[in-house]
Amino acid sequence: MTVPDPQFELLLAHLKEARGFDFTGYKRSSLGRRVNRRMSQVGVSGYGDYLDYLEVHPEEFTALFNTVLINVTSFFRDPDAWNYLGDEVLPQLLAAKEVNSPIRVWSAGCASGEEAYSLAMLFAEILGPDEFRDRVKVYATDVDEEQLAEARQATYPEESLSALSPERKERFFEHFAGRYVFRKDLRRTVIFGRNDLVQDSPISRVDLLLCRNTLMYFNAETQARILSRFHFALAGGGVLFLGKAEMLLSHSNLFLPIDLKRRIFRKVPQRLPAPVTFLPDPPDTPVHRELVGLDRLRNEAFLATPVAQIVVTSDGLVALTSRQAETMFGVSSRDVGRPFRDLDVSYRPAELRRYIEQAQLERRVARITDVEYPRGGDTAYLEVHVNPLVDTDGSLLGVALVFHDVTAARRMQEDLEQANHQLEDAYEELQSTNEELETTNEELQSTVEELETTNEELQSTNEELETMNEELQSTNDELQNINDELRDRSRELSAAEMFLDAVLTSLRAGVTVVNKELDIQVWNRQAEDLWGLRREEVIGQRFLSLDIGLPTDELWPLIRRALVGEGPQQTQLAAVNRRGRSIVVRVVCTPLLSDGAQPTGAILVMEQAEAGEQRSGDGGETRTTPA
Ligand SMILES: C[S@@+](CC[C@H](N)C(=O)[O-])C[C@H]1O[C@@H](n2cnc3c(N)ncnc32)[C@H](O)[C@@H]1O
């Protein structure tokens, strides 16, 4: 978002007014991206609508701030820079301090506190726990109250401690119910508080100031303001430790790098430059006396100097002018002896008289920078140095005005600054994208963990299924065995049945077998021949209801006796065979004994009596005798 969007600006103004959060100094590109992300999460598409949404849903402020204020952090984040801080910078910083004097440290933008506790660990290791408790105070601040509340707990899950060596973990943390708590006695040295870097006053007289991965969210102007506050906050010789992606190019007058790559700087004290004096050569030295025409030589050398120079006596008279001064300002040897204030150059292109007085008074160089000077339709830039000239006895001889042409240097500096700004922007953009990627990465990580859990569950389900499968397999094997046995039995039974059938078929007499209900079970070939009914027609029929030439009802008494177990009974009945011929049939009825003592039916053997056997007369009389 390069062109300001009025709706977006209105939204920022509302956040400031309603909640005191001033995001106007944040970089619009990443800020816009984050607000847009939140808007799409709640399903709102325009800034105006989102403003309405915030008014209706006040709880949305927290969600928005959580999205905008990126809280990614970790213990000893960028270990290389921390190692350097612990091994090189802190020992020097401590050595420069008076014995037992207090040490003040500020972690600005501390998020959930890992950075502040990392500092506490480093100092405690260097000083020992007792001296650490006595001397060190770590002030840890952030704008995000939720993060501060978390930081105050000083309780972290195991995975947060992955950057710590086992010794540090053991020495500085107590383990409770799967979480790690920073040692209480050392914890008291760290003081958490809310501080908005944009709006609040800084903490003062600090020896070490950390502001890591926070400045980059602000635009250049706000960064400059915050950095000048940091300069104020630091004590003399204080150290500033920034994030590895942060730039400090445009503020090099406030801080000097201790290690630029690791973004560790020392405060530059704001004092005036030391007096610079230009002493003339001692007069009448033996060497000079031997040289002939030395004054002439000096004069020529002065005239030929490529920079414009004018020397003015302590009385304010022009004493010397270089040729370049004539070219640039039209001042020449003709003006020597005239009061300098009468020349145009005394007030154009810059008011010089005031600086001449100042240099004479303070006996130090007065510098006038950024002096614009029209040259051939273009603008040149000068830096004018007013150098006091002091005699060996300390008396003032005059001043030398030196006009340095810095146009080329200035153009280069402007180009360089522009290039640096572009680089800075690109770099910071990259870093904030990186932070976002870290967040996304964490989200992906947790999705992967969920998938891993699901996978484990699937694996265990799979194992259960495999076990069930094995059980089913063995049940299947058992069933197969039973099936095989049944098939064998069935074959045996069929063989027995065939054998029985053959026996029944081979008998000369008709045979039928009935069960206890008198339903026909067996009906052999001779029975078919005798009575003209096929086996399929009679099996399952009631014997006594058969419509055949045999008076079956007369056989009931025999059958009843057989069913109660009485031995074979025999009778003869007059009957009519299938051809309609009257015959006498001898019937023997025997109980059917399966495996127990009780008969399960009766066997009736029916045979036509031979001629001459006793038979009934025409009336079909019957006679029953035991067989
Ligand atoms: C990415 S974290 C950096 C945490 C830690 N310094 C590090 O480097 O690991 C940025 C922190 O800056 C905080 N922050 C953002 N704007 C701020 C402001 N105006 N004043 C103070 N802290 C701010 C955020 O709340 C967040 O906790």
Side-chain angles (χ1 to χ4, degrees):
M1 224 185 351
T2 44
V3 181
D5 177 333
Q7 292 287 332
F8 190 66
E9 298 307 313
L10 270 180
L11 175 66
L12 296 189
H14 179 70
L15 295 179
K16 188 172 177 186
E17 197 181 305
R19 293 295 160 119
F21 264 104
D22 184 1
F23 288 119
T24 52
Y26 288 59
K27 275 191 206 133
R28 288 294 187 277
S29 50
S30 52
L31 181 65
R33 234 188 352 262
R34 304 219 133 238
V35 174
N36 287 344
R37 177 189 288 184
R38 182 62 207 156
M39 281 169 35
S40 74
Q41 278 167 358
V42 295
V44 174
S45 56
Y47 297 124
D49 291 347
Y50 190 52
L51 202 63
D52 296 343
Y53 186 89
L54 278 166
E55 271 170 9
V56 181
H57 303 93
E59 71 284 357
E60 174 61 14
F61 281 101
T62 314
L64 174 64
F65 296 152
N66 283 340
T67 312
V68 170
L69 301 172
I70 298 165
N71 302 127
V72 178
T73 187
S74 56
F75 289 103
F76 298 102
R77 187 175 179 184
D78 309 329
D80 170 55
W82 278 89
N83 287 341
Y84 184 76
L85 183 80
D87 295 343
E88 305 291 334
V89 182
L90 293 191
Q92 277 179 30
L93 191 146
L94 292 170
K97 299 242 5 151
E98 273 178 35
V99 180
N100 293 336
S101 61
I103 300 158
R104 291 160 65 82
V105 184
W106 181 14
S107 160
C110 65
S112 41
E114 285 87 335
E115 183 176 280
Y117 294 121
S118 302
L119 278 168
M121 285 187 252
L122 265 196
F123 275 105
E125 279 171 357
I126 297 173
L127 297 172
D130 291 338
E131 194 177 342
F132 167 71
R133 273 188 300 262
D134 289 348
R135 293 182 67 191
V136 181
K137 281 259 171 303
V138 178
Y139 298 92
T141 64
D142 201 285
V143 77
D144 189 336
E145 291 277 16
E146 276 189 14
Q147 287 293 301
L148 288 171
E150 222 175 277
R152 286 186 184 106
Q153 301 283 321
T155 305
Y156 299 93
E158 178 152 27
E159 55 273 22
S160 294
L161 274 63
S162 58
L164 300 185
S165 63
E167 298 76 53
R168 274 190 175 153
K169 232 186 207 176
E170 172 69 24
R171 197 177 323 141
F172 293 110
F173 288 85
E174 284 161 31
H175 191 194
F176 285 121
R179 292 177 71 81
Y180 287 79
V181 185
F182 192 70
R183 251 173 73 175
K184 285 223 164 41
D185 58 327
L186 305 182
R187 156 77 185 81
R188 279 192 280 276
T189 311
V190 186
I191 299 140
F192 289 97
R194 187 179 186 278
N195 181 286
D196 184 343
L197 290 171
V198 181
Q199 308 183 74
D200 298 334
S201 326
I203 289 165
S204 59
R205 288 177 290 111
V206 295
D207 299 294
L208 173 63
L209 199 169
L210 275 77
C211 185
R212 312 196 70 230
N213 307 299
T214 301
L215 272 185
M216 61 196 183
Y217 296 110
F218 300 107
N219 60 30
E221 195 191 332
T222 311
Q223 281 192 24
R225 243 182 309 131
I226 295 174
L227 279 170
S228 79
R229 284 195 198 148
F230 284 173
H231 185 268
F232 165 80
L234 280 165
V239 172
L240 175 67
F241 183 17
L242 300 181
K244 79 168 170 215
E246 261 132 1
M247 291 284 185
L248 201 70
L249 295 170
S250 47
H251 308 285
S252 50
N253 55 333
L254 298 179
F255 302 98
L256 278 177
I258 295 174
D259 187 303
L260 187 63
K261 196 177 121 236
R262 297 179 175 102
R263 297 292 186 272
I264 303 179
F265 303 85
R266 193 181 302 287
K267 168 177 172 162
V268 173
Q270 291 299 79
R271 52 182 148 80
L272 290 163
V276 178
T277 54
F278 290 81
L279 297 174
D281 289 337
D284 303 330
T285 56
V287 179
H288 292 169
R289 250 185 274 130
E290 284 166 20
L291 286 172
V292 180
L294 191 60
D295 284 348
R296 175 97 189 105
L297 192 65
R298 275 193 190 132
N299 199 35
E300 262 317 301
F302 182 83
L303 286 170
T305 171
V307 289
Q309 275 199 69
I310 302 170
V311 176
V312 180
T313 66
S314 56
D315 305 332
L317 302 176
V318 176
L320 290 164
T321 65
S322 70
R323 289 202 187 95
Q324 186 62 13
E326 185 168 3
T327 313
M328 285 175 74
F329 308 114
V331 186
S332 69
S333 49
R334 287 184 306 277
D335 296 308
V336 170
R338 287 180 65 193
F340 178 69
R341 63 168 183 279
D342 292 351
L343 306 183
D344 281 359
V345 70
S346 68
Y347 55 88
R348 202 166 45 216
E351 173 53 74
L352 296 176
R353 288 167 296 196
R354 187 161 60 84
Y355 290 96
I356 292 172
E357 277 167 22
Q358 185 190 328
Q360 287 177 340
L361 192 73
E362 294 177 1
R363 303 287 173 91
R364 68 175 70 193
V365 181
R367 284 192 179 83
I368 314 157
T369 54
D370 293 333
V371 177
E372 289 188 15
Y373 169 68
R375 186 172 58 191
D378 206 356
T379 303
Y381 291 91
L382 301 177
E383 185 168 311
V384 186
H385 290 189
V386 185
N387 299 329
L389 303 174
V390 183
D391 206 349
T392 41
D393 62 359
S395 62
L396 188 77
L397 294 169
V399 293
L401 302 162
V402 188
F403 300 83
H404 297 280
D405 186 342
V406 293
T407 313
R410 186 176 161 127
R411 299 255 147 83
M412 271 170 68
Q413 192 186 351
E414 279 172 1
D415 290 350
L416 193 66
E417 268 175 21
Q418 199 186 353
N420 276 343
H421 277 309
Q422 285 169 351
L423 192 68
E424 208 172 330
D425 283 352
Y427 204 69
E428 289 174 3
E429 188 73 3
L430 197 67
Q431 181 59 16
S432 66
T433 310
N434 203 19
E435 295 257 337
E436 282 174 27
L437 279 176
E438 269 184 47
T439 320
T440 314
N441 199 20
E442 275 170 28
E443 287 167 9
L444 278 176
Q445 190 66 29
S446 76
T447 311
V448 165
E449 277 166 20
E450 274 173 33
L451 283 174
E452 274 175 7
T453 318
T454 314
N455 200 17
E456 275 168 23
E457 286 170 7
L458 279 175
Q459 261 176 7
S460 91
T461 312
N462 206 15
E463 278 164 19
E464 280 171 27
L465 282 173
E466 269 175 22
T467 317
M468 279 171 67
N469 208 12
E470 278 167 17
E471 286 171 7
L472 278 173
Q473 189 62 40
S474 88
T475 312
N476 208 15
D477 290 346
E478 280 172 25
L479 282 173
Q480 188 64 38
N481 289 342
I482 293 170
N483 210 13
D484 291 346
E485 272 176 34
L486 282 174
R487 198 172 311 119
D488 291 347
R489 287 254 184 93
S490 167
R491 271 196 216 111
E492 285 168 17
L493 277 174
S494 316
E497 251 172 36
M498 279 163 67
F499 179 71
L500 187 63
D501 230 29
V503 171
L504 288 170
T505 308
S506 311
L507 285 173
R508 209 162 51 90
V511 177
T512 183
V513 179
V514 296
N515 63 12
K516 281 177 126 179
E517 282 73 39
L518 305 192
D519 295 334
I520 297 168
Q521 308 293 303
V522 175
W523 187 259
N524 76 348
R525 174 89 52 77
Q526 278 63 33
E528 289 181 351
D529 283 350
L530 264 175
W531 309 119
L533 285 180
R534 277 178 289 115
R535 172 186 155 86
E536 305 83 75
E537 292 172 302
V538 298
I539 292 295
Q541 301 288 329
R542 282 281 152 82
F543 179 69
L544 297 185
S545 323
L546 284 184
D547 184 16
I548 54 176
L550 182 70
T552 53
D553 52 337
E554 291 180 27
L555 288 172
W556 168 235
L558 260 76
I559 296 170
R560 193 176 53 215
R561 279 202 291 277
L563 287 178
V564 295
E566 285 184 27
Q569 301 290 319
Q570 172 176 293
T571 190
Q572 285 193 14
L573 295 175
V576 178
N577 72 7
R578 74 180 160 99
R579 294 191 181 87
R581 278 187 52 209
S582 295
I583 57 170
V584 173
V585 177
R586 186 172 59 241
V587 180
V588 179
C589 182
T590 314
L592 174 69
L593 298 167
S594 301
D595 47 0
Q598 283 303 316
T600 56
I603 306 165
L604 295 144
V605 181
M606 302 164 287
E607 195 178 11
Q608 188 172 347
E610 296 293 329
E613 274 187 63
Q614 189 181 0
R615 48 190 292 186
S616 64
D618 293 334
E621 205 181 300
T622 61
R623 205 161 57 94
T624 305
T625 56

